[in-house]
Amino acid sequence: MENRQLTIFFDKLKQVIQDKTLIKMVLSNQRNHSSDLKSIIISIVEIKTGERINFVFRHKTNDITKNYGVEEAVLLIRKALEDDFLNADLFSGDENFRLLITEHGKVKIRSNQSLLKPASGFTHDHRKERIVATQNNVYLRELGVLNDRFEVRHNMNDKYLQINNYIELLEPFIRELDLPDGFHVADMGSGKGYLTFALYDYLTNVLGKAAVMTGVESRAELVKLSNEIASKAAFTNLKFICGTIQEVTLEKTDLLIALHACDTATDDAIYRGITSGASLIVCAPCCHKQVRKDFHATNELKSITRHGILEERQAEIITDAIRALIMEAHGYKTKIFEFISTEHTPKNLMIVGRKLSKPPARQGKQLEQIRAIKELFGVKRHYLEELFGTRSN
Ligand SMILES: C[S@@+](CC[C@H](N)C(=O)[O-])C[C@H]1O[C@@H](n2cnc3c(N)ncnc32)[C@H](O)[C@@H]1O
């Protein structure tokens, strides 16, 4: 089977293996539907003897895993596309490609970028300079994102890109702030601390600011691990404390972050940010269970919310819209946007609140809007509203 599109695709495959930007490749859409082999998942692995290409052969009832050298792997992929599968999805750091073979043997390539034009495509060494540097980056090594040679591990490419994406996204909001020396940053629900370390690194080493940062996390083992890594990285003004977002004692907070803090923990974080007068509040809500439990549409909306997934989406929209209105009522200018492709996670909304120098003239306006939304959707309670003791019905 030879074809120009196939040649382009295989050149791309070899390139992403060589550049180490291959995240994974999936061969699917069986040629023979009765075959026991359903798909093959291919990725790069590092083993003691060096790099190998890992194949997971997905059969109906079991998986078989094998490692191959690069040349052998490329031959096997070619053979699998000739004999077994019609599709190949290639995921790499910067671009994704789909190879489609029709039943008549026509080959097409789809890309999420326009890099497939022969004249401009496949230039070598196009790796982008990232905002989170890998060179001598102790925290990323300790977190397992980098290997001992400070190179991104193949299976952590996605994580590394996500960390960069997050800092790039925060950058314009942070640059807008007039932060005093020694300003305080709180990361609520810091988890393993990937983003906490990256933000501290960015603030202190890229922007040269004297930041004091605290990661708040309820899981003691993560707090211990993160404090050990902060010490190894010599991040002297970064500490992690074990406690809950609701109760932890913080000196003050100028900038508050809460990424994927579960359910109402996002509300607790917003509450802490507003009440401490934080200049910037950045949240990526996680699940929206509270409002979902507490809304019961009795009007035409019932025909929408009777579908579980639509009810879930509706709960997300109502929860976050009310959160934004409450922030606005307390003098914040808000922005809600998608911060990462839904391919990575469906929980991809970010709410950013920037404290205005002048409080709003009429706080009541937002409270009226909240009341109207609640009435329309039959929402009985919103946890953040209750924290402020301003229930609007
Ligand atoms: C999904 S993880 C996100 C971690 C990190 N922010 C990130 O985005 O990579 C949520 C973390 O928040 C912590 N958490 C949830 N509710 C909390 C609360 N009320 N107080 C403190 N930590 C909380 C969990 O233990 C978990 O580690």
Side-chain angles (χ1 to χ4, degrees), residues 50-243:
E51 245 168 49
R52 306 283 286 166
I53 309 299
N54 177 268
F55 280 52
V56 178
F57 297 91
R58 288 245 135 118
H59 290 271
K60 202 169 173 186
T61 51
N62 65 324
D63 287 352
I64 297 171
T65 302
K66 286 187 182 165
N67 290 334
Y68 300 96
V70 175
E71 280 180 23
E72 197 181 359
V74 173
L75 285 176
L76 276 171
I77 294 168
R78 253 181 210 283
K79 178 112 183 62
L81 283 171
E82 275 173 19
D83 299 342
D84 304 310
F85 297 104
L86 293 165
N87 290 4
D89 285 288
L90 190 163
F91 301 94
S92 78
D94 295 328
E95 49 204 306
N96 300 330
F97 295 89
R98 165 165 278 202
L99 180 88
L100 302 132
I101 305 170
T102 67
E103 299 204 340
H104 307 291
K106 265 187 106 174
V107 182
K108 293 179 194 159
I109 310 179
R110 300 268 179 273
S111 157
N112 66 350
Q113 293 198 9
S114 55
L115 289 175
L116 287 173
K117 290 181 203 118
S120 62
F122 311 132
T123 52
H124 287 270
D125 203 20
H126 64 279
R127 296 190 84 182
K128 192 176 149 189
E129 187 80 19
R130 304 277 173 201
I131 198 163
V132 179
T134 53
Q135 207 183 8
N136 298 326
N137 188 322
V138 173
Y139 68 89
L140 283 184
R141 182 193 63 197
E142 294 300 312
L143 287 166
V145 176
L146 305 181
N147 62 20
D148 288 341
R149 297 187 299 278
F150 294 103
E151 295 160 343
V152 179
R153 289 181 192 274
H154 301 307
N155 57 350
M156 294 304 268
N157 223 333
D158 244 6
K159 191 81 204 167
Y160 178 62
L161 292 176
Q162 187 196 356
I163 295 168
N164 275 282
N165 182 32
Y166 158 78
I167 298 295
E168 278 166 17
L169 197 132
L170 285 187
E171 191 177 28
F173 294 105
I174 292 173
R175 283 193 187 270
E176 240 181 59
L177 301 174
D178 185 16
L179 291 164
D181 259 356
F183 66 96
H184 285 240
V185 186
D187 185 356
M188 301 298 207
S190 49
K192 259 190 104 174
Y194 292 106
L195 305 174
T196 331
F197 285 111
L199 181 58
Y200 181 85
D201 187 18
Y202 171 72
L203 291 169
T204 55
N205 297 326
V206 178
L207 293 188
K209 301 258 182 198
V212 178
M213 191 157 172
T214 308
V216 175
E217 172 54 53
S218 55
R219 288 160 63 190
E221 73 281 9
L222 295 183
V223 171
K224 181 171 177 288
L225 186 75
S226 304
N227 276 326
E228 283 165 9
I229 297 176
S231 160
K232 282 186 190 157
F235 284 177
T236 43
N237 284 324
L238 170 62
K239 66 173 186 304
F240 292 82
I241 50 179
C242 188

Side-chain angles (χ1 to χ4, degrees), residues 29 144 178 187 215 239 264 290 298:
N29 195 2
D178 185 16
D187 185 356
K239 66 173 186 304
T264 52
Q290 183 263 309
T298 49

Side-chain angles (χ1 to χ4, degrees), residues 206-358:
V206 178
L207 293 188
K209 301 258 182 198
V212 178
M213 191 157 172
T214 308
V216 175
E217 172 54 53
S218 55
R219 288 160 63 190
E221 73 281 9
L222 295 183
V223 171
K224 181 171 177 288
L225 186 75
S226 304
N227 276 326
E228 283 165 9
I229 297 176
S231 160
K232 282 186 190 157
F235 284 177
T236 43
N237 284 324
L238 170 62
K239 66 173 186 304
F240 292 82
I241 50 179
C242 188
T244 64
I245 298 169
Q246 300 89 312
E247 288 171 358
V248 80
T249 307
L250 294 172
E251 200 181 315
K252 63 172 186 145
T253 307
D254 298 296
L255 206 161
L256 183 136
I257 312 286
L259 299 172
H260 300 130
C262 324
D263 196 16
T264 52
T266 297
D267 297 300
D268 289 314
I270 295 175
Y271 180 76
R272 297 279 324 235
I274 293 177
T275 51
S276 57
S279 309
L280 185 69
I281 299 174
V282 179
C283 303
C286 180
C287 40
H288 299 71
K289 293 194 194 116
Q290 183 263 309
V291 164
R292 191 170 179 192
K293 271 201 308 270
D294 290 312
F295 89 94
H296 304 280
T298 49
N299 49 20
E300 304 79 64
L301 290 166
K302 252 176 113 171
S303 57
I304 298 176
T305 54
R306 72 195 159 94
H307 301 286
I309 181 67
L310 298 184
E311 185 190 55
E312 189 181 327
R313 300 257 164 94
Q314 201 65 260
E316 280 176 28
I317 293 171
I318 297 168
T319 308
D320 293 335
I322 294 181
R323 282 171 175 158
L325 282 168
I326 293 174
M327 288 165 88
E328 284 163 23
H330 288 88
Y332 286 79
K333 186 176 169 203
T334 63
K335 202 172 172 184
I336 300 185
F337 52 94
E338 281 191 333
F339 71 101
I340 192 166
S341 154
T342 41
E343 196 181 283
H344 299 283
T345 168
K347 298 177 172 60
N348 68 343
L349 278 196
M350 191 164 262
I351 308 177
V352 175
R354 165 95 170 82
K355 194 170 168 57
L356 297 166
S357 46
K358 268 197 207 154

